[in-house]
Amino acid sequence: MRGGWCAGLLASMVLLGSSAGHAASEKVDCSRLSLEFPPADKADWSECYVYHYSEGAEEANAEVETLIADIGTHVVHLTSVVAGRNTYLHKEPVSSKISDYDELEDVVTGSTEPSFERYQILRFRATLWKAPADCIGFVKYGGGSITQGGSTYGAHTYLAGYDCWRNGAPDRSQIEATLDAIDD
């Protein structure tokens, strides 16, 4: 794989149960993911991974799917996380999610974009695989559990990622096309 993708996953989870966890990651054919991104079918290069985190059958667990696609003019990296029973995910700003991607270097945060559907969007510049890029980062949370007192444990799912363009910043229609193409 060209870069890390899961550095902050465990830090973003509220694990209810024991503290000794076990994780396994495997490279898979992209057609095995429930996460879909049809433009990846035309990619110059793509990789997909499945990551299983578990603290035992009755304890905290999560399923993570990752898709990375180099589509020529831009690179898309998606991470979909679905928490299992007794597991909730902290809702963090998109800037925190971007810092989880090891392959992004020299990140300079730019401006926020208006939301699209339920996605939070942030523009930034970075070096991706030794080349400068104009990027957007995004995150969408879902399925939070609310207690009788009205507080929340956190999200049950999230989809985060980035879209980095090699030759200039993407316009709003390009941003919306990328986000609209994601089927999680």
Side-chain angles (χ1 to χ4, degrees):
M1 183 165 74
R2 291 189 182 186
W5 58 270
C6 201
L9 171 66
L10 298 180
S12 69
M13 298 173 69
V14 175
L15 303 176
L16 306 176
S18 71
S19 61
H22 145 263
S25 174
E26 71 176 292
K27 186 174 179 178
V28 297
D29 184 279
C30 293
S31 66
R32 289 188 46 202
L33 299 182
S34 59
L35 172 65
E36 294 180 14
F37 185 66
D41 294 342
K42 298 173 185 67
D44 296 336
W45 170 89
S46 63
E47 287 186 356
C48 294
Y49 295 84
V50 176
Y51 178 84
H52 306 280
Y53 176 82
S54 177
E55 289 191 356
E58 297 298 318
E59 302 298 330
N61 61 74
E63 300 295 321
V64 181
E65 294 183 339
T66 296
L67 181 147
I68 308 164
D70 185 335
I71 305 172
T73 57
H74 57 115
V75 175
V76 176
H77 187 146
L78 307 173
T79 303
S80 174
V81 180
V82 178
R85 185 172 164 237
N86 296 329
T87 310
Y88 300 93
L89 308 164
H90 287 293
K91 289 185 177 182
E92 299 172 338
V94 68
S95 57
S96 293
K97 295 296 182 194
I98 296 307
S99 66
D100 290 344
Y101 296 108
D102 295 344
E103 67 269 23
L104 295 174
E105 298 175 335
D106 307 320
V107 174
V108 177
T109 303
S111 60
T112 58
E113 280 280 321
S115 296
F116 176 74
E117 294 178 1
R118 291 186 352 255
Y119 288 99
Q120 299 169 18
I121 306 167
L122 176 71
R123 284 187 182 270
F124 65 96
R125 292 190 51 81
T127 302
L128 175 63
W129 303 321
K130 309 287 186 224
D134 290 289
C135 308
I136 61 155
F138 47 86
V139 65
K140 173 176 73 170
Y141 293 98
S145 183
I146 300 174
T147 66
Q148 287 181 340
S151 62
T152 181
Y153 290 123
H156 184 66
T157 66
Y158 75 78
L159 181 99
Y162 64 78
D163 187 2
C164 287
W165 291 73
R166 292 183 170 98
N167 298 315
D171 64 22
R172 183 64 187 201
S173 64
Q174 291 167 318
I175 294 169
E176 291 180 6
T178 295
L179 298 178
D180 198 39
I182 301 168
D183 184 9
D184 63 328

